[in-house]
């Protein structure tokens, strides 16, 4: 009599488990040399494939890492701003810089301060004239390769030079108060009595104007000869020219400037530049138009005009 079994199409419970147990417990057959080498190669290929999914981080010396740093710097605050090459010249020294074309004259002064140590308030910055602080380099048509002239002194230079000047100005004022008006003194009358020069420049009484771009001419010196004054701001010099010669004086060497209206012609002044320690060194100029008197004093003595 046949033993009772599972219905047709049904497997007896435990058959799969027993098969798996037999397969697991079956002793592995030793691999020959060819099979062992093939298995080792497959394992290496599998490890390489898994490693390729996550690239190793770039090391500091790698070119890729260096390119990343460089690109990050290029994309900094100056990105997208048009730059121009400038030659900044101060105190006979040239500085080559790149500067944004849409920056203002005030920002340029800050850049010059960082390069030279010259405070912005002490700078005269010139490019085809005085550079306005509120306009951009593009607006005043600065081009790449332009020369920017800077005139000015550091705080230490000012303290060293201005103290004697201040003392000289005070002494000169004290002496002026003790004396009669300059235009009445005999030494000046012999020049003033010649009258106003025919080619003297027009005057504007009660006005103050900046220095003209042309020399001041049509004036007399102490000997009665014609004299002209040329202000070379880019060289920080005053040129005093006569028919015979031209004296080129550093403005820092002029210790004081005095002036007085000419009686009967108050729209003109007589003016003196102190070139040495005493009044004997005064260089006198007569018939200076009154509108330029303050600008001359401020330019020579270091109080520059921005109007």
């Amino acid at each position: 009599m046949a033993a009772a079994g599972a219905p047709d199409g049904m497997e007896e419970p435990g058959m799969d488990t027993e098969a798996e147990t037999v397969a697991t417990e079956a002793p592995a057959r030793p691999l020959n040399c060819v099979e062992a080498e093939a298995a080792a190669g497959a394992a290496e290929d599998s490890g390489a494939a898994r490693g390729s999914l996550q690239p190793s981080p770039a090391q500091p010396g790698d070119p890729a890492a260096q390119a990343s740093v460089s690109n990050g710097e290029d994309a900094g605050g100056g990105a997208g701003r048009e730059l121009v090459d400038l030659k900044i010249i101060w105190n006979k020294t040239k500085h080559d810089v790149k500067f944004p074309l849409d920056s203002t004259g005030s920002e340029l002064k800050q850049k010059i301060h960082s390069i030279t140590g010259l405070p912005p308030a002490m700078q005269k910055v010139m490019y085809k004239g005085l550079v306005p602080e509120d306009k951009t380099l593009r607006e005043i048509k600065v081009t790449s390769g332009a020369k920017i002239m800077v005139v000015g002194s550091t705080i230490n230079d000012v303290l060293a030079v201005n103290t004697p000047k201040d003392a000289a100005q005070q002494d000169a004022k004290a002496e002026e108060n003790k004396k009669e008006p300059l235009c009445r003194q005999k030494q000046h009358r012999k020049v003033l009595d010649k009258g106003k020069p025919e080619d003297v420049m027009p005057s504007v009484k009660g006005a103050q104007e900046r220095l003209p771009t042309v020399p001041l001419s049509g004036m007399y010196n102490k000997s009665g000869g014609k004299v002209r004054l040329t202000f070379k701001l880019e060289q920080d010099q005053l040129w005093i020219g006569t028919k015979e010669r031209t004296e080129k004086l550093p403005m820092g060497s002029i210790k004081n400037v005095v002036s007085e209206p000419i009686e009967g012609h108050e729209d003109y002044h007589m003016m003196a530049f102190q070139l040495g320690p005493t009044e004997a060194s005064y260089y006198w100029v007569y018939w200076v138009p009154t509108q330029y008197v303050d600008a001359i004093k401020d330019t020579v003595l270091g109080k520059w005009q921005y109007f």
Side-chain angles (χ1 to χ4, degrees), residues 157-233:
D157 293 337
V158 171
L159 292 176
V161 174
N162 278 359
T163 300
K165 282 190 177 182
D166 292 341
Q169 290 178 39
Q170 293 175 2
D171 292 343
K173 287 181 180 179
E175 289 297 321
E176 288 174 11
N177 292 333
K178 296 177 184 179
K179 297 178 180 179
E180 62 181 337
L182 294 171
C183 61
R184 295 181 187 173
Q185 295 177 18
K186 184 177 180 180
Q187 60 174 326
H188 303 303
R189 289 280 8 139
K190 64 181 183 181
V191 179
L192 295 175
D193 286 346
K194 293 178 64 174
K196 186 190 303 183
E198 293 182 359
D199 57 347
V200 70
M201 298 180 70
S203 65
V204 183
K205 188 176 181 179
Q208 292 185 10
E209 297 182 8
R210 67 186 301 172
L211 293 175
T213 56
V214 297
L216 294 176
S217 59
M219 300 171 291
Y220 290 142
N221 59 16
K222 192 174 181 179
S223 63
K226 287 294 184 66
V227 64
R228 65 183 177 276
L229 303 177
T230 306
F231 295 88
K232 293 289 187 178
L233 298 181

Side-chain angles (χ1 to χ4, degrees), residues 58-305:
Q59 299 301 315
D62 291 346
Q66 294 175 357
S68 175
V69 172
S70 175
N71 291 337
E73 291 175 352
D74 291 342
R81 302 187 69 184
E82 184 177 354
L83 302 178
V84 287
D85 295 313
L86 303 177
K87 292 186 181 295
I88 296 176
I89 304 173
W90 173 71
N91 202 19
K92 299 181 180 179
T93 303
K94 294 183 180 179
H95 304 273
D96 294 322
V97 301
K98 290 183 180 291
F99 198 69
L101 189 58
D102 290 311
S103 293
T104 63
S106 178
E107 292 171 323
L108 178 59
K109 283 190 171 185
Q110 293 294 339
K111 179 65 175 179
I112 294 170
H113 175 53
S114 68
I115 295 173
T116 65
L118 188 62
M122 305 298 294
Q123 299 176 19
K124 282 191 291 188
V125 182
M126 285 163 287
Y127 174 75
K128 298 181 179 179
L130 207 59
V131 174
E133 293 191 0
D134 58 343
K135 291 189 176 181
T136 66
L137 303 191
R138 187 187 299 276
E139 289 176 318
I140 61 175
K141 304 186 185 306
V142 173
T143 57
S144 191
K147 293 182 180 180
I148 306 296
M149 306 297 300
V150 181
V151 177
S153 302
T154 63
I155 294 295
N156 291 337
D157 293 337
V158 171
L159 292 176
V161 174
N162 278 359
T163 300
K165 282 190 177 182
D166 292 341
Q169 290 178 39
Q170 293 175 2
D171 292 343
K173 287 181 180 179
E175 289 297 321
E176 288 174 11
N177 292 333
K178 296 177 184 179
K179 297 178 180 179
E180 62 181 337
L182 294 171
C183 61
R184 295 181 187 173
Q185 295 177 18
K186 184 177 180 180
Q187 60 174 326
H188 303 303
R189 289 280 8 139
K190 64 181 183 181
V191 179
L192 295 175
D193 286 346
K194 293 178 64 174
K196 186 190 303 183
E198 293 182 359
D199 57 347
V200 70
M201 298 180 70
S203 65
V204 183
K205 188 176 181 179
Q208 292 185 10
E209 297 182 8
R210 67 186 301 172
L211 293 175
T213 56
V214 297
L216 294 176
S217 59
M219 300 171 291
Y220 290 142
N221 59 16
K222 192 174 181 179
S223 63
K226 287 294 184 66
V227 64
R228 65 183 177 276
L229 303 177
T230 306
F231 295 88
K232 293 289 187 178
L233 298 181
E234 68 277 7
Q235 301 175 32
D236 203 27
Q237 292 180 346
L238 169 61
W239 290 9
I240 301 178
T242 63
K243 184 178 180 181
E244 294 77 20
R245 61 181 180 176
T246 298
E247 295 284 348
K248 300 180 180 181
L249 305 173
M251 292 189 191
S253 69
I254 301 173
K255 296 177 173 54
N256 195 22
V257 180
V258 298
S259 69
E260 181 184 284
I262 299 173
E263 283 187 342
H265 302 275
E266 281 73 14
D267 50 343
Y268 288 93
H269 280 227
M270 50 186 295
M271 176 176 286
F273 301 96
Q274 185 177 347
L275 309 182
T278 66
E279 289 187 16
S281 65
Y282 279 4
Y283 187 97
W284 287 97
V285 178
Y286 304 87
W287 303 102
V288 179
T290 186
Q291 69 268 27
Y292 300 129
V293 169
D294 287 341
I296 292 172
K297 290 182 178 180
D298 290 348
T299 300
V300 172
L301 299 177
K303 301 173 185 176
W304 304 306
Q305 298 292 308

